[in-house]
Structures are given as C-alpha cells and as structure tokens.
Amino acid sequence: MKKVVALGEVLLRLSTKDHLKFSQAIEMNADYGGSELNVLTGLSNFGMQSEMVTRLPANDIATTALMQMRKYNVGTSHIVKGGDRLGLYFLEKGASARGSKIIYDRAYSSFANIEKGMIDWKSVFKDATWFHWSGITPGVSQGAADVCMEAIEVASQMGLTISTDFNYRANLWNYGKTPGEVMEKMVAKCHIILAGDYASKQYFDITADGTTEVELQESLCKKLRARFPSSDKIIITNRKNISAMHNIWSAVLYDGTKMLSSKSYDITDIVDRIGAGDSFMGALIYGLNNYDDQKALDFAVAASCLKHTIYGDANLVSKEDVAQLMAGDATGRVSR
C-alpha cells in the first residue's frame, strides 16, 4: 500500500465557543491539529496509509494528542519524545463581517527545539512513497527548518514524491532568517506545489501578471514553474470571502502544459474553515495517487468544500461523501 509521511508540529487548539470573542470566553474547546497532521488525517480517512513525524513532550497532554492520531489511523511509530511543552494556538471564531483570529503560543515547544539527527529518516521512508511538508514547519524555528531540509534531502535521495503547501504564516519566521532564504532550496526539490499569490510574494517576491482571474492564475503558475523546474504540478486554491461564514471555493492545477480548473462551490453557513486548505492537500494527494489530474483536482475541491461543514482541524468525511457532492448532490438531505 502507498504510504504518505509528513513532518510538522502537533498543536493543542483552544477555541472560543459560539463565536465568542476572547474577551467574552470563560471556557474553551480543546482539540488537536496542525497542518501536516490535518493532511494525514484526511488521507487516513480515505484509506491511505499515513505516518506522522514530530517531537512531543512526555506528558499527558501529548499522550492525548497521540490517542487522537491513533483514533484516526495516523501512524505514530516514528514520533520522538523530548522537550517540555506542546505548542498551542488559540482560535476566536468570527461571524458575518468579523473575521476569525488566531494567536500562537509555540515558542520553546518540543517541536520548536527539534534538531538534526533526532530522526532516522532512512528508516522512516523505507516503505513510503510520498513525503509532505508545509511552509509552517520551517517557520517555527531554525531547528525545525534544518530537520525539514534533512527530511527533504533523504526523501529526494530515496525517490519519494515530495509535496509542499506554501502556508505562509506572518506570525512565525521570527528566528532571524527571512522566509525566502530558507524556503528556496526546499521548494526546489518538490514535485507537487500548492501555492497562492500572497505566499508566493512573501516567500519569493513572485507576483502574477494579468487583469482577469484566469490570466493571473496562469501567470503565477508559469512563474513558479520557471523558478522551480523540478515541479510536476502547481496547484492554486481560490477563496473568495463574502463573509466569515460565506465563501466561494475552487482551484486550478497546472502541469506545465495545460491548466485544469475545478467546479466552484458556494459555501454558506460555514461551521469551521480552519484546516480547509489542509483538507484540500490531503484529498489532492489521495486523488493524484488514484485518479487522473482532473478528477484528483475535482475530488480535492469537493472534499475541502465539505470540510467547511466539519468542526475541528481535520476533515472527517468519507470518499462516498465526496463522490456524492461531485455527482451534484448538495442537498444535505438526511441519509436513512
């Protein structure tokens, strides 16, 4: 069976209830997530084998995070222990014209203090076919960036497909390195790139040319392909924010010769949009391993559309749920 490995930080998410502001909340929901873990949870839910690589402290909070990973069939056999604390993030869920807000508390976490040599990557990758990482990971700390590069180099040597999601986070990247100088050599070894105009500008000072949305997307894809010729496919997701609870969602895929476009979904009454991009990435990896490019893109967009209806970081819908939406059934009727 094809196996996907990902490296990233596992976080405890503390979120306000009922769209309350932080200043109003007297209690919070506790959940676990993190970009790469979210990708793997979706993949495991679709039936692919997955393996999470991270560093966790030896305490009850981390043990609870491990329990959740195992609950969703995400592999944990290569997680290393050490350090004193699990990273946190606080979520204030927006509503209508008020956007959501995230505050990180990740400094000096177990993962932030990870170092090269702590993980035996040849052992991790011995039965894997795919390695995924996101731009969040090298933004956490110099150590996390070094370990991410270490993993990418071994994965490349062992012939794995390597994917990345740019995932620029302005509140990270505070350890003295600019994002571009760290990311350039990493992205250069990637085959599948999930990008966006904002992140491309922040990382590589790449901006798209054109006046229409189609022209801008094609320009960005071609510029990224020219910058990173090892890339086989470049994908861009498109989110139009009508309000915090109403988005229009679609994506395009460029394979170096042609541009593929997905259906556009009008998503109203959003339950939780955190992790939607990760759900897209997980479904895309599944799709690229099982379908042609057009169906893989359509599957990813439909799966991530459904993620907006799921509370928490992870996408818990089934392949059958996605197929139903792809077939045009968005009625939400009761299944009996």
Side-chain angles (χ1 to χ4, degrees), residues 35-36 104 133-140 145 148 164-175 177-188 193-207 220 224 227-228:
S35 180
E36 292 85 357
Y104 289 127
W133 62 282
S134 86
I136 294 174
T137 293
V140 170
C148 192
T164 186
D165 180 349
F166 279 3
N167 262 351
Y168 176 73
R169 297 291 183 267
N171 291 332
L172 299 178
W173 297 102
N174 54 15
Y175 59 90
K177 292 284 183 70
T178 63
E181 65 182 302
V182 176
M183 290 284 287
E184 184 87 28
K185 59 185 178 181
M186 294 182 174
V187 178
I193 296 174
L194 178 56
D197 54 356
Y198 178 67
S200 298
K201 171 66 176 175
Q202 299 303 314
Y203 286 139
F204 309 116
D205 200 28
I206 294 176
T207 55
L220 182 58
L224 286 168
R227 182 76 161 261
F228 302 109

Side-chain angles (χ1 to χ4, degrees), residues 216-281:
L216 290 167
Q217 290 170 348
E218 187 170 354
S219 171
L220 182 58
C221 286
K222 288 182 175 180
K223 286 187 176 186
L224 286 168
R225 180 66 183 273
R227 182 76 161 261
F228 302 109
S230 293
S231 59
D232 295 325
K233 296 175 177 62
I234 296 170
I235 303 93
I236 298 172
T237 54
N238 307 305
R239 181 187 297 278
K240 295 180 180 178
N241 292 287
I242 310 302
S243 74
M245 304 174 76
H246 182 188
N247 292 177
I248 298 173
W249 181 248
S250 63
V252 297
L253 183 152
Y254 179 67
D255 67 0
T257 57
K258 61 183 181 296
M259 182 82 78
L260 303 177
S261 298
S262 76
K263 176 181 177 180
S264 182
Y265 289 94
D266 190 8
I267 309 172
T268 59
D269 304 304
I270 292 172
V271 173
D272 196 337
R273 63 157 284 185
I274 303 300
D278 304 326
S279 71
F280 176 91
M281 189 76 234

Side-chain angles (χ1 to χ4, degrees), residues 99-115:
S100 295
K101 182 184 297 183
I102 287 176
I103 297 174
Y104 289 127
D105 181 11
R106 305 170 71 159
Y108 310 110
S109 69
S110 292
F111 186 79
N113 290 326
I114 198 169
E115 296 177 359

